[in-house]
Amino acid sequence: KAGVTQTPRYLIKTRGQQVTLSCSPISGHRSVSWYQQTPGQGLQFLFEYFSETQRNKGNFPGRFSGRQFSNSRSEMNVSTLELGDSALYLCASSRGQIGSNQPQHFGDGTRLSIL
Amino acid sequence: AQKITQTQPGMFVQEKEAVTLDCTYDTSDPSYGLFWYKQPSSGEMIFLIYQGSYDQQNATEGRYSLNFQKARKSANLVISASQLGDSAMYFCAMREASRDSGSARQLTFGSGTQLTVLP
């Protein structure tokens, strides 16, 4: 069974640009969550989607947005990139809505570097 | 206040020995789940073990077991017979399942413990 697939694995951008990251969940999983991981802040929740609807959002500025498609694949977009956006972005999927206690399974992440 | 606290930034253990990684949590919800994840240097987060707040028995998964002490609000991970491949960052996480928790339904992670297994 294929795991969570995130593309691309590595990305280098410059300040002011925008970026789109992609996540394909495990087959049958309908909930997708995004996290940002930095050495200073650790793992922080960005948002969660279930059935194409954003169900939960973390404390990030509006430059961070996302969406989920009917096949449960999700994209995350960051506009007007800042140096502080350099991080590992992790996507996680689970079978049910995130309110349940099913484990989330993570992808390998996209490492975004802002120059 | 920190919802998940991992007080050990780094731990060392001899190969084949057992090691306990500490995790304490803070919640007022009666229903919640506790998770442990392993993150090797390559970056992927690997799910290890889950404990529900209503589970009567401590969770076990192979060499991993969770020492769940509800009254103390602790959920320590025990790794038996450590292997060199166990060297990684370990994260404790919690999800509060109550619908009344508002935005608290996402996974909240601790700061992690870097485990190094010595040959």
PDB file of all heavy atoms in Angstrom, chain A residues 30 32 48-56 67-69:
ATOM      1  N   ARG A  30      -9.275  10.157   3.846  1.00  0.00           N
ATOM      2  CA  ARG A  30     -10.000  11.349   3.412  1.00  0.00           C
ATOM      3  C   ARG A  30      -9.577  12.617   4.153  1.00  0.00           C
ATOM      4  O   ARG A  30      -9.940  13.711   3.783  1.00  0.00           O
ATOM      5  CB  ARG A  30     -11.501  11.127   3.590  1.00  0.00           C
ATOM      6  CG  ARG A  30     -12.053   9.984   2.728  1.00  0.00           C
ATOM      7  CD  ARG A  30     -13.476   9.644   3.114  1.00  0.00           C
ATOM      8  NE  ARG A  30     -14.375  10.764   2.874  1.00  0.00           N
ATOM      9  CZ  ARG A  30     -15.620  10.794   3.334  1.00  0.00           C
ATOM     10  NH1 ARG A  30     -16.083   9.821   4.070  1.00  0.00           N
ATOM     11  NH2 ARG A  30     -16.384  11.842   3.062  1.00  0.00           N
ATOM     12  N   VAL A  32      -6.615  15.124   5.382  1.00  0.00           N
ATOM     13  CA  VAL A  32      -5.238  15.535   5.109  1.00  0.00           C
ATOM     14  C   VAL A  32      -4.913  16.759   5.963  1.00  0.00           C
ATOM     15  O   VAL A  32      -5.679  17.717   5.999  1.00  0.00           O
ATOM     16  CB  VAL A  32      -5.043  15.874   3.617  1.00  0.00           C
ATOM     17  CG1 VAL A  32      -3.654  16.469   3.391  1.00  0.00           C
ATOM     18  CG2 VAL A  32      -5.231  14.630   2.753  1.00  0.00           C
ATOM     19  N   GLU A  48      -6.166  21.532   8.191  1.00  0.00           N
ATOM     20  CA  GLU A  48      -6.655  20.175   7.968  1.00  0.00           C
ATOM     21  C   GLU A  48      -7.848  20.229   7.040  1.00  0.00           C
ATOM     22  O   GLU A  48      -8.704  21.104   7.149  1.00  0.00           O
ATOM     23  CB  GLU A  48      -7.061  19.529   9.293  1.00  0.00           C
ATOM     24  CG  GLU A  48      -7.732  18.165   9.140  1.00  0.00           C
ATOM     25  CD  GLU A  48      -9.151  18.135   9.666  1.00  0.00           C
ATOM     26  OE1 GLU A  48      -9.543  19.007  10.449  1.00  0.00           O
ATOM     27  OE2 GLU A  48      -9.898  17.208   9.270  1.00  0.00           O
ATOM     28  N   TYR A  49      -7.874  19.274   6.113  1.00  0.00           N
ATOM     29  CA  TYR A  49      -8.968  19.167   5.175  1.00  0.00           C
ATOM     30  C   TYR A  49      -9.624  17.811   5.272  1.00  0.00           C
ATOM     31  O   TYR A  49      -8.953  16.798   5.509  1.00  0.00           O
ATOM     32  CB  TYR A  49      -8.470  19.392   3.736  1.00  0.00           C
ATOM     33  CG  TYR A  49      -8.125  20.823   3.463  1.00  0.00           C
ATOM     34  CD1 TYR A  49      -6.841  21.301   3.737  1.00  0.00           C
ATOM     35  CD2 TYR A  49      -9.068  21.717   2.978  1.00  0.00           C
ATOM     36  CE1 TYR A  49      -6.517  22.625   3.523  1.00  0.00           C
ATOM     37  CE2 TYR A  49      -8.754  23.047   2.755  1.00  0.00           C
ATOM     38  CZ  TYR A  49      -7.479  23.491   3.041  1.00  0.00           C
ATOM     39  OH  TYR A  49      -7.161  24.802   2.833  1.00  0.00           O
ATOM     40  N   PHE A  50     -10.909  17.827   5.098  1.00  0.00           N
ATOM     41  CA  PHE A  50     -11.680  16.590   5.065  1.00  0.00           C
ATOM     42  C   PHE A  50     -12.806  16.793   4.067  1.00  0.00           C
ATOM     43  O   PHE A  50     -13.557  17.743   4.162  1.00  0.00           O
ATOM     44  CB  PHE A  50     -12.239  16.266   6.459  1.00  0.00           C
ATOM     45  CG  PHE A  50     -13.005  14.978   6.531  1.00  0.00           C
ATOM     46  CD1 PHE A  50     -12.343  13.771   6.638  1.00  0.00           C
ATOM     47  CD2 PHE A  50     -14.386  14.986   6.484  1.00  0.00           C
ATOM     48  CE1 PHE A  50     -13.050  12.586   6.703  1.00  0.00           C
ATOM     49  CE2 PHE A  50     -15.095  13.804   6.555  1.00  0.00           C
ATOM     50  CZ  PHE A  50     -14.434  12.601   6.650  1.00  0.00           C
ATOM     51  N   SER A  51     -12.901  15.880   3.119  1.00  0.00           N
ATOM     52  CA  SER A  51     -13.933  15.978   2.080  1.00  0.00           C
ATOM     53  C   SER A  51     -13.963  17.361   1.438  1.00  0.00           C
ATOM     54  O   SER A  51     -15.022  17.992   1.341  1.00  0.00           O
ATOM     55  CB  SER A  51     -15.317  15.647   2.671  1.00  0.00           C
ATOM     56  OG  SER A  51     -15.369  14.292   3.039  1.00  0.00           O
ATOM     57  N   GLU A  52     -12.808  17.816   1.029  1.00  0.00           N
ATOM     58  CA  GLU A  52     -12.631  19.060   0.270  1.00  0.00           C
ATOM     59  C   GLU A  52     -12.937  20.320   1.084  1.00  0.00           C
ATOM     60  O   GLU A  52     -12.959  21.430   0.509  1.00  0.00           O
ATOM     61  CB  GLU A  52     -13.496  19.049  -1.005  1.00  0.00           C
ATOM     62  CG  GLU A  52     -13.188  17.889  -1.936  1.00  0.00           C
ATOM     63  CD  GLU A  52     -14.081  17.880  -3.159  1.00  0.00           C
ATOM     64  OE1 GLU A  52     -13.986  18.820  -3.967  1.00  0.00           O
ATOM     65  OE2 GLU A  52     -14.871  16.929  -3.302  1.00  0.00           O
ATOM     66  N   THR A  53     -13.154  20.177   2.370  1.00  0.00           N
ATOM     67  CA  THR A  53     -13.478  21.334   3.218  1.00  0.00           C
ATOM     68  C   THR A  53     -12.389  21.521   4.270  1.00  0.00           C
ATOM     69  O   THR A  53     -11.939  20.555   4.884  1.00  0.00           O
ATOM     70  CB  THR A  53     -14.832  21.125   3.913  1.00  0.00           C
ATOM     71  OG1 THR A  53     -15.830  20.906   2.918  1.00  0.00           O
ATOM     72  CG2 THR A  53     -15.194  22.333   4.761  1.00  0.00           C
ATOM     73  N   GLN A  54     -12.007  22.759   4.462  1.00  0.00           N
ATOM     74  CA  GLN A  54     -11.052  23.047   5.532  1.00  0.00           C
ATOM     75  C   GLN A  54     -11.785  22.971   6.864  1.00  0.00           C
ATOM     76  O   GLN A  54     -12.694  23.751   7.127  1.00  0.00           O
ATOM     77  CB  GLN A  54     -10.418  24.427   5.351  1.00  0.00           C
ATOM     78  CG  GLN A  54      -9.300  24.695   6.374  1.00  0.00           C
ATOM     79  CD  GLN A  54      -8.689  26.080   6.219  1.00  0.00           C
ATOM     80  OE1 GLN A  54      -9.136  27.043   6.825  1.00  0.00           O
ATOM     81  NE2 GLN A  54      -7.674  26.181   5.378  1.00  0.00           N
ATOM     82  N   ARG A  55     -11.349  22.058   7.732  1.00  0.00           N
ATOM     83  CA  ARG A  55     -12.065  21.832   8.984  1.00  0.00           C
ATOM     84  C   ARG A  55     -11.371  22.491  10.170  1.00  0.00           C
ATOM     85  O   ARG A  55     -11.966  22.669  11.221  1.00  0.00           O
ATOM     86  CB  ARG A  55     -12.173  20.325   9.252  1.00  0.00           C
ATOM     87  CG  ARG A  55     -13.034  19.587   8.242  1.00  0.00           C
ATOM     88  CD  ARG A  55     -14.449  20.132   8.165  1.00  0.00           C
ATOM     89  NE  ARG A  55     -15.271  19.428   7.199  1.00  0.00           N
ATOM     90  CZ  ARG A  55     -16.232  18.589   7.529  1.00  0.00           C
ATOM     91  NH1 ARG A  55     -16.489  18.339   8.792  1.00  0.00           N
ATOM     92  NH2 ARG A  55     -16.933  17.992   6.592  1.00  0.00           N
ATOM     93  N   ASN A  56     -10.105  22.794   9.996  1.00  0.00           N
ATOM     94  CA  ASN A  56      -9.364  23.317  11.134  1.00  0.00           C
ATOM     95  C   ASN A  56      -8.173  24.106  10.596  1.00  0.00           C
ATOM     96  O   ASN A  56      -7.611  23.753   9.558  1.00  0.00           O
ATOM     97  CB  ASN A  56      -8.873  22.168  12.015  1.00  0.00           C
ATOM     98  CG  ASN A  56      -8.653  22.582  13.453  1.00  0.00           C
ATOM     99  OD1 ASN A  56      -8.760  23.753  13.800  1.00  0.00           O
ATOM    100  ND2 ASN A  56      -8.333  21.621  14.297  1.00  0.00           N
ATOM    101  N   ARG A  67      -5.946  23.589  -0.247  1.00  0.00           N
ATOM    102  CA  ARG A  67      -7.200  23.080  -0.763  1.00  0.00           C
ATOM    103  C   ARG A  67      -7.099  21.571  -0.888  1.00  0.00           C
ATOM    104  O   ARG A  67      -5.996  21.007  -0.898  1.00  0.00           O
ATOM    105  CB  ARG A  67      -7.535  23.716  -2.103  1.00  0.00           C
ATOM    106  CG  ARG A  67      -6.489  23.498  -3.198  1.00  0.00           C
ATOM    107  CD  ARG A  67      -6.968  24.132  -4.493  1.00  0.00           C
ATOM    108  NE  ARG A  67      -5.961  24.060  -5.553  1.00  0.00           N
ATOM    109  CZ  ARG A  67      -6.207  24.351  -6.820  1.00  0.00           C
ATOM    110  NH1 ARG A  67      -7.419  24.727  -7.196  1.00  0.00           N
ATOM    111  NH2 ARG A  67      -5.247  24.265  -7.729  1.00  0.00           N
ATOM    112  N   GLN A  68      -8.253  20.960  -0.997  1.00  0.00           N
ATOM    113  CA  GLN A  68      -8.290  19.517  -1.184  1.00  0.00           C
ATOM    114  C   GLN A  68      -9.210  19.209  -2.351  1.00  0.00           C
ATOM    115  O   GLN A  68     -10.283  19.832  -2.502  1.00  0.00           O
ATOM    116  CB  GLN A  68      -8.804  18.814   0.085  1.00  0.00           C
ATOM    117  CG  GLN A  68      -8.712  17.287   0.006  1.00  0.00           C
ATOM    118  CD  GLN A  68      -9.211  16.598   1.246  1.00  0.00           C
ATOM    119  OE1 GLN A  68     -10.141  17.082   1.907  1.00  0.00           O
ATOM    120  NE2 GLN A  68      -8.614  15.465   1.595  1.00  0.00           N
ATOM    121  N   PHE A  69      -8.817  18.264  -3.151  1.00  0.00           N
ATOM    122  CA  PHE A  69      -9.579  17.893  -4.326  1.00  0.00           C
ATOM    123  C   PHE A  69     -10.485  16.700  -4.031  1.00  0.00           C
ATOM    124  O   PHE A  69     -10.387  16.063  -2.968  1.00  0.00           O
ATOM    125  CB  PHE A  69      -8.616  17.584  -5.483  1.00  0.00           C
ATOM    126  CG  PHE A  69      -7.709  18.737  -5.820  1.00  0.00           C
ATOM    127  CD1 PHE A  69      -6.434  18.825  -5.279  1.00  0.00           C
ATOM    128  CD2 PHE A  69      -8.130  19.756  -6.662  1.00  0.00           C
ATOM    129  CE1 PHE A  69      -5.594  19.885  -5.566  1.00  0.00           C
ATOM    130  CE2 PHE A  69      -7.299  20.828  -6.956  1.00  0.00           C
ATOM    131  CZ  PHE A  69      -6.031  20.894  -6.401  1.00  0.00           C
TER     132      PHE A  69
END
